[in-house]
Amino acid sequence: MFMYYNQLCTTQKDLVHRKIITRTKASQEIVCKVLEHINPVLKIIDQDVLMMYYMMSKIEQRIQEELRITNYEL
């Protein structure tokens, strides 16, 4: 069953964070901020996190924007 990110328990959110951090190489702070903002629909099966391809693309794009903003402010 697919669920929204904000409906997941802490352990499930940690799984999602690890998957996205591994894929994007972004900090956990940025990943959490983006996920809370987008609130994607996800499915967790055992230790696997499933989501639609377009949703992962949207998350990656938003993380890149956040990284650019962060770098610009430095």
Side-chain angles (χ1 to χ4, degrees):
M1 180 161 131
F2 283 89
M3 297 173 64
Y4 285 100
Y5 171 79
N6 65 3
Q7 295 174 318
L8 300 175
C9 70
T10 305
T11 307
Q12 292 171 323
K13 285 182 179 181
D14 288 341
L15 281 172
V16 176
H17 296 165
R18 275 189 298 212
K19 175 180 181 167
I20 295 176
I21 288 170
T22 301
R23 184 169 173 133
T24 63
K25 308 294 188 242
S27 69
Q28 184 167 354
E29 178 184 330
I30 291 175
V31 170
C32 291
K33 180 179 176 181
V34 169
L35 288 173
E36 288 174 9
H37 178 36
I38 294 176
N39 195 25
V41 177
L42 309 160
K43 185 174 188 175
I44 309 260
I45 300 174
D46 295 325
Q47 297 293 318
D48 293 328
V49 179
L50 304 175
M51 71 178 76
M52 299 297 207
Y53 176 79
Y54 79 91
M55 188 58 70
M56 188 64 201
S57 295
K58 185 175 180 181
I59 291 168
E60 287 175 326
Q61 180 182 13
R62 186 69 178 122
I63 286 173
Q64 290 302 318
E65 290 172 10
E66 286 293 326
L67 289 172
R68 269 188 242 124
I69 291 169
T70 304
N71 288 338
Y72 182 73
E73 291 174 353
L74 297 175

